[in-house]
Amino acid sequence: IMVPATAAPVKIAEVKVHVGKFKGVPLDELTDDAVRGLAEHWLPKAKVSPGKTPEDIYLIAAVTKRIDEINAQEDPSDSDVPF
């Protein structure tokens, strides 16, 4: 996760989207598809942007965390359930 060393762990519930059509919406209220959209369209540009704001940094970390959670739910190979 791209979080500054001095930053506290990101609480997704406290992060509001500040870009695009979901501006002002808490990240934890977005659907998985909406989070995927941010990850596919906004995240690549935001990660390479030289002028990141604190809001950008938190949203990058929070979107990355949500995507990891979504992918973990969809990928049963990571589970500890024996077959």
Side-chain angles (χ1 to χ4, degrees):
I1 296 177
M2 293 180 53
V3 179
T6 57
V10 174
K11 295 186 177 97
I12 290 175
E14 295 176 5
V15 177
K16 283 192 179 177
V17 179
H18 64 284
V19 294
K21 63 183 174 181
F22 298 110
K23 188 173 186 172
V25 179
L27 188 64
D28 65 343
E29 291 182 14
L30 295 185
T31 64
D32 290 354
D33 286 338
V35 175
R36 278 191 201 95
L38 278 171
E40 289 171 16
H41 302 288
W42 177 79
L43 198 56
K45 291 181 223 153
K47 282 184 174 180
V48 299
S49 171
K52 288 191 236 353
T53 64
E55 290 87 1
D56 290 338
I57 293 167
Y58 282 121
L59 189 56
I60 289 168
V63 168
T64 302
K65 186 173 179 180
R66 271 288 305 268
I67 286 295
D68 288 347
E69 291 170 0
I70 292 166
N71 291 340
Q73 290 171 3
E74 293 176 352
D75 186 4
S77 66
D78 288 341
S79 71
D80 294 332
V81 179
F83 292 99

